[in-house]
Amino acid sequence: MPYRLPTRWLAPGIALALAGCATRAPAPLPGADGPQANPPPAAQLLQVPDALPQLEPIRSGGPNKPYVALGEAYVPLAPEARYREEGLASWYGRKFHGRPTASGEPYDMYAMTAAHPTLPLPSYARVTNPANGRSVIVRVNDRGPFAKGRIIDLSYTAALKLDLLRGVAPVRVERITPAQIRSGAWRGAPAPPIEGDDGPPEAVASSAPPWEATPSAARPPDAGVRAARGFWVQLGAFREREGAAALQQQAAARVDGLGGALDVVSEQALHRVQAGPYATREDALRVAERIRQALALVPVVLDKR
């Protein structure tokens, strides 16, 4: 029989995501959740390393038993289960900082952690913001969120690194399974750092089959912002154009047949290295896999139809 989640575990799941930005914390509101009055500098928090996946015991009882929250029944996944979902992310902060999480550990809003309704506790997950290509790894040690449509509640620092402090926003969540931890298969997903990039890494995770493809339309490289419709493969994004140009040259040299499809797209103070357009998502995924194998990074597929 499902049991009712203790009250202290419900609140983090319905924490409000307040206005803010990745470089300046939003002002706290009286009686509401949000950042602390004087959080550590954003530059310092951006240097906090991602959670390091490691094998941890997952017991069948406690926070991994079926439970009821806000009238809804939840059944946690099996210890070895795979999980991948797209939905809305929120974050929780000072209102729960230092309070027990569902796993019994104190919540640290400045650590790389998260709350999830059904992932086994503890688990590790890669969270990607498709709007900017940023990806982080968090340790899931809490339950929530329980608002409709939301699939994960991030710590303040995790939300900062993904540029999600502005509010609820779409993300992709992929569990790093114990099997992937044992084999080391989870490693190599983040893009390698490139000299000249002064921001957090922006390459993202995406699963793709080992196929091959050719671009649907040939076009000259380095032609700036593109309006062509179709599916594009983003290799990375940089604050400095030099970093994007270096990755473009590296990809053109090491991935056969990719040079003519590559471009640096500059918009919103970011320079994105993209290949395309491709007629179908399957074609783009094939190219993404070739890039992953050649450059040891995992690009994201963008739909610009």
Side-chain angles (χ1 to χ4, degrees), residues 25-26 34-42 44-51 91-98 106-114 138 154-161 165:
Q36 293 180 323
N38 296 295
Q44 175 182 329
L45 294 178
L46 288 173
Q47 299 304 313
V48 173
D50 285 0
W91 62 275
Y92 58 126
R94 72 171 188 276
K95 190 173 181 179
F96 310 99
H97 187 61
Y107 172 55
D108 183 355
M109 64 187 288
Y110 301 123
M112 291 298 290
T113 62
V138 295
L154 299 166
S155 69
Y156 178 87
T157 297
L160 172 73
K161 293 177 73 172
L165 289 181

Side-chain angles (χ1 to χ4, degrees), residues 65-83:
K65 292 174 60 176
Y67 65 94
V68 174
L70 302 181
E72 295 289 333
Y74 297 87
V75 180
L77 299 175
E80 297 286 338
R82 295 182 179 181
Y83 170 89

Side-chain angles (χ1 to χ4, degrees), residues 7 10 20 32 77 135 159 198 202 215 246 249 251 256:
T7 303
L10 296 181
L77 299 175
S135 182
D198 60 355
E202 307 237 7
Q249 294 174 3
D256 293 339

Side-chain angles (χ1 to χ4, degrees), residues 6-293:
T7 303
R8 71 175 185 274
W9 291 355
L10 296 181
I14 57 176
L16 297 178
L18 303 176
C21 66
T23 56
R24 182 178 179 183
L29 300 179
D33 193 15
Q36 293 180 323
N38 296 295
Q44 175 182 329
L45 294 178
L46 288 173
Q47 299 304 313
V48 173
D50 285 0
L52 179 63
Q54 55 187 303
L55 293 174
E56 298 187 60
I58 300 175
R59 59 192 181 100
S60 58
N64 290 313
K65 292 174 60 176
Y67 65 94
V68 174
L70 302 181
E72 295 289 333
Y74 297 87
V75 180
L77 299 175
E80 297 286 338
R82 295 182 179 181
Y83 170 89
R84 185 180 188 276
E85 187 175 5
E86 296 180 356
L88 298 177
S90 50
W91 62 275
Y92 58 126
R94 72 171 188 276
K95 190 173 181 179
F96 310 99
H97 187 61
R99 294 176 57 180
T101 61
S103 62
E105 304 166 355
Y107 172 55
D108 183 355
M109 64 187 288
Y110 301 123
M112 291 298 290
T113 62
H116 190 276
T118 58
L119 281 178
L121 298 186
S123 283
Y124 293 87
R126 179 173 286 109
V127 184
T128 299
N129 179 357
N132 58 22
R134 298 185 186 182
S135 182
V136 300
I137 295 177
V138 295
R139 182 173 179 268
V140 181
N141 66 348
D142 203 0
R143 288 289 177 225
F146 302 112
K148 187 175 181 180
R150 301 188 196 180
I151 61 173
I152 197 166
D153 235 359
L154 299 166
S155 69
Y156 178 87
T157 297
L160 172 73
K161 293 177 73 172
L162 290 172
D163 195 12
L164 293 179
L165 289 181
R166 294 180 176 87
V168 177
V171 296
R172 181 171 64 249
V173 180
E174 300 170 281
R175 186 189 182 200
I176 299 174
T177 66
Q180 292 172 323
I181 297 174
R182 282 191 290 268
S183 67
W186 65 273
R187 298 180 183 277
I194 294 181
E195 188 175 355
D197 180 19
D198 60 355
E202 307 237 7
V204 304
S206 175
S207 59
W211 301 329
E212 294 185 356
T214 56
S216 60
R219 57 188 184 77
D222 206 20
V225 177
R226 295 289 178 177
R229 295 181 178 182
F231 295 91
W232 294 71
V233 181
Q234 180 166 303
L235 287 70
F238 303 83
R239 301 183 192 279
E240 300 295 334
R241 186 177 177 85
E242 289 76 9
L247 178 57
Q248 180 189 22
Q249 294 174 3
Q250 183 183 23
R254 297 179 58 181
V255 184
D256 293 339
L258 191 63
L262 281 170
D263 194 10
V264 175
V265 178
S266 301
E267 53 185 342
Q268 297 181 350
L270 283 177
H271 306 281
R272 308 173 192 273
V273 183
Q274 298 178 348
Y278 300 93
T280 67
R281 183 180 296 275
E282 288 71 23
D283 287 341
L285 287 172
R286 292 166 187 161
V287 173
E289 177 63 18
R290 289 167 54 198
I291 294 170
R292 184 192 68 80
Q293 293 182 359

